[in-house]
Every structure is written in C-alpha cells, then in structure tokens.
Amino acid sequence: MDKIPLAIVGCGGMGHRHLYGLAELNDSGLSPFELVAACDPVRANAESLADDAEERLGKRPAVVERMEQLEPLGIVAVDITTTPRHHHTVAVEAVERGWHAMIEKPVGLTVRASNRIREAAERTGKIVSVAENYRRDPMNRLGKALLDAGAIGSPRLMIHNTMGGSDLMLITVWRHQKNQSGVLLDVGVHFTDIIEYYLGPATTVYAQTRLHEQIRRNIAAEPGGSSPRNPSVVYERWQKQMPAEFEATADDASYATLLFESGAVCQYIEDHAGRGQGVFTRQIHGSEGSLELPQDRSGQLLTLHKDGEAICDESLLDLVPDFHLEPIIAALFGGDRLWGYDFPFPVTDRKLIAAEYGELGLAIENGGTIEVDAAQGARSVALSYAMLESSVAGRALSMDEVLSEEVDAYQHEIDEEIGLV
Ligand SMILES: NC(=O)c1ccc[n+]([C@@H]2O[C@H](COP(=O)([O-])OP(=O)(O)OC[C@H]3O[C@@H](n4cnc5c(N)ncnc54)[C@H](O)[C@@H]3O)[C@@H](O)[C@H]2O)c1
C-alpha cells in the first residue's frame, strides 16, 4: 500500500522529537507514513529537522517555510508542532486544504482558539487528533484498567499535586508568557487530560492561581551553563540564544478543587515555582482502596493499596485479566500486559509519539478511532483555563461556562491579540 504523505509543521524541539517518534515507528515496521516535508518559517529549524530525517529515515524531506508550499507535494496529513499560539491558524488552514491533522497539546492557545479548531474539524470532516502522550503511557493504561475493573471500588477523591521549578525557565521563554501559553496551560493541559481520562467529565472548578516568580532565569544562557529543563536533549541550541533573565507574565501556580459528573472530587496543586521539597503525587482513592500512580513517562510502578496491603508487582495483572495494551503500544514497548518498563526518557518519549502516529495512520487508512479528538482537546484546555478564570472571577465556575466561552475574563486579552474577538 502507498505510504501516507506527511509534513511536520513546526520544527523546534517537539518537531524534532516527533521526527524521532516517526523514526521509531518506522524502525518497528509499523509506519504507514512517508515524511515529505519539514515546514517552519525559521528555515534553519526546518533544515535541521530535514537533516535528522535523512539520517533516521533514509530520505530527506523537502524544506518549506509556508503551508501553501506544501500543496504541490500531495500532502495527506500534517503534524502540527508549532508553538501553541499558531495551532489554530495552522490547523484550520490545514483541514480546509483537505489535510488530516495531528496537533500537539494544548490543541489551541485559548478555549476560543480550541473551539475554532473543533468546529473546523466538524465542518470539513477531516481527522484532528491531539498528540496527548501521557495517557498512552502503559502505566496509565494499567491504572485505568484497574479503575475500570473496580479494583479500588468507586473513585471518591483524586489527589494530583506537583511542585517544583523555583525561578528557573521551563524549557523556553514562551512557556512563561500569558499571550503565548503559560505553564499552567503548557504543562497543566497534560494533567487536565489525564484527570478526565481517569475520572470522566469535570463539571465545576474553584481555584486560586498565582504568579509567584515574576523574573525567570535561563541557566543555559550563562557562560558554560546548561539547563536542567531540556527534555530529550534537543533544546539547548535554542536555550543558549534566549535571554538569561526575563519577565514572566503567566500565572505559575494553581491551587484548586475540581468536581466531576460522577461525584468524585480532585484536589489539585500545580506549582511551578516551588523552592522547597519537590512534589509529585497522583493518587486515586476509592470506596475499596486506592491507587498510587507514578510520574508519567517514568516507567515506575504503580501501587494498589487495599485491605491493609500494598501491591506493586506483577500480581496487579491478576486483577485485570482482560487488560491488553493496543497492538501498536504493545509492539513498541515489548509486551501487551506490562506492569512496568525501563527505558531512558528519550526512548520512552519517542515510543509514545510513535504510538500517536500509529493511531493517526490507522484512522486515516481504516477509519480507526481517534482517542483524543479536538473536542476532548478543547475540554482539557477549558479545564486548565477554568482554574485561571475561577481565580479572576473569585467564584466556582462550571465547565460549561468556560467551554462555551461565556466566561473569558482571563483569556480575553489573548483572544483579542490573536484576532478571535
Ligand atoms: N507532549 C509533550 O510532551 C510536549 C513537549 C514539548 C512541547 N509540546 C508541545 O509542542 C508544541 C511545540 O513546542 P516546542 O517545545 O517544540 O516549541 P519550540 O519553540 O521549540 O518550537 C516551535 C517551532 O514552531 C515554529 N513555528 C512557529 N510558528 C509556526 C508556523 N506558523 N508554521 C510553522 N512553524 C512555526 C517555530 O519557528 C519553532 O521552530 C507546543 O504546542 C508544546 O506545548 C508537547
């Protein structure tokens, strides 16, 4: 069968990581794609991705700076890994040109931008998949299977607490700018996705958010400096060009209570300014026990606490006799009933991205389902913004108020800037 012609649009850090994911899928013999173009207005970034592609895929894709230059190349799908500010313009243009799209999270920069992408997907009938990697981690698949099998009874409370970061730059400057994303969206949207993955639809949010660290430091720009925030070791060349110190404009901490249709509650802390003890806690407490979930992409074990016992070994699988990873994830991770895995971070990173590509390929070729579509992607963006909007409003907000764009005081100036109001 002919390969699906694909372009990667956005050739920065994640664009390169997506290429590594595509190469991983290719190496496993499961890739239905041919990478025909690398697109980025910063030509050097597209050239760099094309060089890497030649090395890893054996063929150099065309290098282009604008989407219309993709037209003569017979593109069927684009993989959008631009900064979030450009997701909606690129994605809407792509589906209107008749191309399917995978879009990195957050699907859009604001709820309004995300809704525009969802509407364009519905209008054109094109596939839009959100590249949400955390939920595809085999450990989250196992955690969800245990929950669905009733291993802890009915979920009552989820505790999701993360703290750390001090005044250091998180990967890039734009992650600290309100009009370009902000950390509570950039990182938070992974967490809001995983929380709805486990607990189902959220209904109500109350939060206090803060901007604790108004000046952020970029250690990579210091002489001989190297940033500790450099996932998959691809960002340093850009980090060295960024300012050593800059003003942050987006809130960097959220302390929230989330309610769910099921009646469950989530106690949520996402604090990127923590200067003391680092925290990662994700637990789900149910009517018969609790689950302690490991950090995403770590391969560490999850623990089931029940009847005074703690189970964190292979016997967890006895509780989920029907648990099987999807064939692509099983092939990439080396087993379809995994209870742990052990790869260096860059390898895990590219396997999860390979799984996203695999799902997209099956959807294009055989009408397979898309797990995180534009509607679910928009929900995760809305749940992240619901916390920021609740803090501005000084009251609890319903998800409906935020998802429908009725409440947008925090986002309004961003939407104005990107021409959506
Ligand atoms: N899932 C994950 O684990 C994960 C990790 C990192 C980043 N991301 C997401 O990936 C996306 C990209 O992040 P990044 O870290 O690669 O950022 P980055 O700043 O390293 O790269 C962004 C690239 O997009 C390019 N770009 C900007 N506008 C464009 C346009 N209109 N057309 C084509 N290219 C354009 C820039 O020139 C740059 O090369 C973001 O949405 C981010 O949230 C996801």
Side-chain angles (χ1 to χ4, degrees):
M1 193 190 238
D2 285 349
K3 294 275 185 187
I4 302 167
L6 171 85
I8 295 181
V9 182
C11 304
M14 206 48 177
H16 283 70
R17 287 161 69 185
H18 275 227
L19 167 67
Y20 307 156
L22 191 61
E24 181 79 15
L25 193 64
N26 201 48
D27 292 347
S28 71
L30 295 170
S31 177
F33 295 105
E34 181 185 355
L35 183 67
V36 296
C39 174
D40 199 303
V42 180
R43 193 170 179 91
N45 291 356
E47 295 279 4
S48 163
L49 192 139
D51 289 346
D52 269 8
E54 187 169 13
E55 195 180 307
R56 291 173 189 244
L57 296 171
K59 196 169 166 196
R60 197 168 201 277
V63 167
V64 303
E65 289 163 28
R66 295 184 313 282
M67 292 265 282
E68 68 262 25
Q69 294 170 289
L70 297 175
E71 274 295 351
L73 301 175
I75 296 294
V76 168
V78 289
D79 178 18
I80 302 171
T81 45
T82 71
T83 42
R85 189 178 168 96
H86 300 280
H87 285 186
H88 63 290
T89 43
V90 173
V92 171
E93 181 179 339
V95 295
E96 284 177 348
R97 286 182 184 276
W99 303 330
H100 303 295
M102 181 157 87
I103 312 176
E104 254 305 337
K105 46 52 63 178
V107 65
L109 180 62
T110 61
V111 172
R112 197 161 273 141
S114 305
N115 283 339
R116 295 301 90 84
I117 295 172
R118 178 182 51 74
E119 288 154 8
E122 287 164 6
R123 192 169 63 242
T124 58
K126 290 292 148 189
I127 295 166
V128 170
S129 168
V130 182
E132 181 44 70
N133 41 1
Y134 286 21
R135 61 163 69 207
R136 295 173 207 271
D137 183 323
M139 295 304 95
N140 282 324
R141 294 305 208 210
L142 176 59
K144 180 76 160 81
L146 285 162
L147 207 63
D148 289 348
I152 61 163
S154 330
R156 294 172 173 170
L157 171 73
M158 184 162 182
I159 300 173
H160 177 100
N161 292 347
T162 57
M163 285 192 78
S166 69
D167 63 345
L168 296 183
M169 176 178 83
L170 180 71
I171 311 176
T172 54
V173 174
W174 63 255
R175 285 178 169 81
H176 297 280
Q177 308 303 318
K178 176 178 174 178
N179 63 358
Q180 297 190 64
S181 171
V183 273
L184 295 179
L185 177 65
D186 184 65
V187 180
V189 80
H190 283 298
F191 298 151
T192 53
D193 178 79
I194 204 91
I195 288 170
E196 284 206 326
Y197 175 63
Y198 278 115
L199 294 187
T203 56
T204 314
V205 174
Y206 177 74
Q208 287 288 311
T209 65
R210 297 285 184 273
L211 171 49
H212 289 308
E213 299 291 344
Q214 301 193 2
I215 303 294
R216 288 265 167 183
R217 287 187 300 126
N218 168 23
I219 298 176
E222 293 169 6
S226 176
S227 169
R229 317 303 288 274
N230 180 15
S232 286
V233 213
V234 291
Y235 288 93
E236 192 165 80
R237 66 180 120 156
W238 294 294
Q239 289 173 335
K240 290 212 168 290
Q241 310 299 317
M242 293 172 196
E245 224 177 62
F246 59 90
E247 189 189 347
T249 56
D251 284 6
D252 54 18
S254 175
Y255 312 111
T257 302
L258 320 177
L259 309 183
F260 293 80
E261 253 173 48
S262 66
V265 176
C266 175
Q267 184 262 332
Y268 185 92
I269 296 173
E270 181 189 354
D271 188 332
H272 296 276
R275 284 176 179 262
Q277 187 180 3
V279 175
F280 179 91
T281 304
R282 189 182 292 152
Q283 298 173 348
I284 304 175
H285 294 260
S287 53
E288 291 170 29
S290 70
L291 272 180
E292 178 142 30
L293 296 153
Q295 204 150 0
D296 309 284
R297 300 178 290 183
S298 69
Q300 284 165 7
L301 305 185
L302 59 80
T303 307
L304 176 76
H305 296 266
K306 200 172 176 174
D307 303 328
E309 268 187 82
I311 313 172
C312 66
D313 58 22
E314 200 169 358
S315 64
L316 283 169
L317 296 175
D318 299 342
L319 303 169
V320 283
D322 299 329
F323 168 62
H324 294 281
L325 292 166
E326 300 91 312
I328 289 177
I329 300 183
L332 289 161
F333 281 83
D336 82 333
R337 281 171 58 75
L338 295 183
W339 55 281
Y341 61 85
D342 185 16
F343 299 110
F345 177 82
V347 177
T348 303
D349 191 38
R350 64 186 191 232
K351 286 183 184 298
L352 292 173
I353 294 166
E356 295 165 352
Y357 273 126
E359 183 196 273
L360 178 70
L362 289 178
I364 293 172
E365 284 185 332
N366 311 326
T369 50
I370 287 296
E371 179 166 341
V372 187
D373 60 12
Q376 185 58 45
R379 283 194 66 84
S380 314
V381 170
L383 189 47
S384 293
Y385 273 114
M387 299 186 220
L388 291 149
E389 296 290 358
S390 166
S391 195
V392 172
R395 65 175 175 92
L397 296 177
S398 72
M399 267 289 277
D400 290 346
E401 285 174 289
V402 181
L403 200 49
S404 67
E405 305 165 27
E406 188 186 322
V407 172
D408 68 350
Y410 181 88
Q411 298 163 85
H412 198 78
E413 69 184 53
I414 314 172
D415 280 326
E416 260 179 355
E417 239 191 78
I418 58 176
L420 292 183
V421 285

